[in-house]
């Protein structure tokens, strides 16, 4: 039986999964987000790209209120998460989040990492939680690793366990914060393959990534951010393959062909400086 909608939730007949309106976020005097407007529709894969310090991760963390916005509104699955009266724990049950760090419990096996939240948050019994956990380990290609501890797994395997853990909570949408950035290059492909499969299944995904091939091949839309604003947005055939904005072109030239970059293309110490990774 479906849960009844909470008092802060309203139907979204337009098919919108995430709506961000005029979002601002400051850390002290540093303004990281400067009026972001973004909509993600159900079943859509949106990749957010841009230099370090552009506000990508902060935007993602504001979506499920891991960071509290300074102003503006965020609506997820029909609930305004920026409403002071929202039941944020209820909303977060609909959101799967995968971070750069794997955040697995080191003293629990892979399967136990998948079942603990199911039992404590969703109140599933042990047998049901284990059944769902095993099914999701199978989805990420790790059926044979259910009894392994995180220290016995490679970085790529740990990240796939983290994805399976998020899927075990039956989320309506998934947020990925640079899920491959901590991995050795040869391990990236397995994680991206899992994410491609999720996209093929119709999972709504908002992905912060530096993987341009993934953005080009899987995303329905690509958003390029710089200095706290959205500079360019559109299909991957536009933003990645034929960007219109000079800043987008400079960024992609540096990412896709680092050896061809010219000193001084982006002023040192300016808003694109990578010293602040927000």
């Amino acid at each position: 039986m479906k849960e009844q909608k909470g008092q802060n939730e309203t139907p979204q007949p337009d098919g919108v999964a995430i709506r961000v309106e005029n979002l601002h976020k400051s850390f002290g005097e540093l303004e990281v987000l400067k009026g972001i407007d973004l909509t993600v529709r159900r079943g859509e894969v949106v990749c957010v790209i841009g230099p370090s310090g552009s506000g990508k991760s902060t935007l993602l963390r504001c979506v499920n209120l891991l960071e509290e916005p300074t102003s503006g509104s965020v609506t997820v699955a029909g609930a305004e998460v920026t409403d002071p009266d929202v039941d944020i724990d209820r909303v977060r049950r609909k959101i799967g989040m995968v971070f750069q760090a794997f955040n697995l419990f080191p003293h629990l096996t892979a399967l136990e990492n998948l079942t603990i939240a199911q039992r404590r948050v969703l109140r599933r019994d042990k047998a049901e939680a284990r059944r769902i956990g095993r099914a999701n380990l199978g989805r990420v290609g790790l059926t044979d690793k259910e009894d392994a501890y995180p220290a016995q797994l490679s970085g790529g395997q740990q990240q796939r366990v983290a994805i399976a853990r998020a899927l075990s909570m039956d989320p309506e949408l998934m947020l990925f914060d640079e899920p491959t950035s901590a991995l050795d290059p040869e391990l990236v492909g397995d994680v991206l393959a899992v994410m491609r499969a999720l996209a093929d299944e119709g999972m709504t995904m908002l992905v912060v990534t530096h993987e341009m091939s993934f953005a080009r091949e899987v995303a329905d839309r690509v958003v390029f951010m710089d200095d706290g604003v959205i500079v360019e947005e559109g299909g991957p055939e536009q933003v990645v393959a034929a960007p219109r904005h000079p800043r987008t072109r400079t960024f992609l030239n540096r990412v896709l062909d680092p050896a061809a970059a010219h000193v001084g293309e982006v002023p040192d110490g300016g808003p694109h400086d990578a010293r602040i990774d927000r």
Side-chain angles (χ1 to χ4, degrees), residues 12 14-21 23 36-44 46 48 59-60 62-64 73-79 81 91 94-96 172-176 204-207 221:
Q12 297 289 291
D14 53 0
V16 172
I18 302 170
R19 178 175 280 117
V20 177
E21 297 179 292
L23 186 67
I36 300 294
D37 292 296
L38 178 66
T39 299
V40 179
R41 300 180 67 81
R42 285 197 294 270
E44 191 175 29
V46 175
V48 183
L59 169 61
L60 206 68
C62 284
V63 169
N64 65 354
S73 68
V74 179
T75 301
V76 179
V81 301
V91 178
K94 302 179 180 181
I95 305 171
E172 293 183 15
L173 58 102
M174 294 281 288
L175 307 178
F176 291 89
T204 305
M205 298 164 62
L206 182 58
V207 184
R221 259 186 309 133

Side-chain angles (χ1 to χ4, degrees), residues 82-261:
T82 43
D83 183 335
D85 297 323
V86 73
D87 183 348
I88 190 60
D89 290 333
R90 183 187 182 95
V91 178
R92 284 178 179 150
R93 292 176 196 171
K94 302 179 180 181
I95 305 171
M97 181 129 187
V98 179
F99 299 89
Q100 298 177 41
F102 319 126
N103 297 326
L104 300 177
F105 293 110
H107 63 290
L108 299 180
T109 66
L111 183 59
E112 289 168 343
N113 266 281
L114 269 62
T115 60
I116 185 169
Q118 292 187 66
R119 299 185 65 188
R120 293 185 178 181
V121 177
L122 301 182
R123 303 299 181 187
R124 288 174 176 156
D125 63 39
K126 182 177 180 179
E128 178 72 355
R130 289 174 67 86
R131 182 188 67 78
I132 292 171
R134 286 191 173 111
N136 283 306
L137 282 175
R139 290 174 75 181
V140 301
L142 293 175
T143 301
D144 60 336
K145 299 295 185 181
E146 69 171 64
D147 294 323
Y149 290 89
Q152 298 171 314
L153 301 173
S154 70
Q157 290 170 334
Q158 290 185 60
Q159 191 63 292
R160 283 188 281 158
V161 170
I163 294 172
R165 177 180 57 186
L167 292 173
S168 295
M169 301 299 287
D170 298 330
E172 293 183 15
L173 58 102
M174 294 281 288
L175 307 178
F176 291 89
D177 187 5
E178 300 191 23
T180 61
S181 64
L183 302 180
D184 291 334
E186 65 179 347
L187 302 177
V188 168
D190 290 338
V191 173
L192 294 182
V194 170
M195 295 171 65
R196 284 190 182 93
L198 291 178
D200 290 341
E201 293 171 11
M203 175 64 75
T204 305
M205 298 164 62
L206 182 58
V207 184
V208 170
T209 185
H210 285 114
E211 301 292 341
M212 293 303 110
S213 62
F214 179 85
R216 183 169 47 237
E217 297 166 15
V218 180
D220 296 296
R221 259 186 309 133
V222 177
V223 174
F224 174 68
M225 286 184 64
D226 189 36
D227 195 23
V229 300
I230 293 177
V231 175
E232 189 166 354
E233 177 181 356
E237 71 284 351
Q238 173 202 321
V239 178
V240 180
R244 298 172 183 172
H245 196 282
R247 179 65 186 113
T248 315
R249 290 197 294 270
T250 300
F251 170 77
L252 288 169
N253 286 340
R254 282 176 166 254
V255 170
L256 298 174
D257 190 7

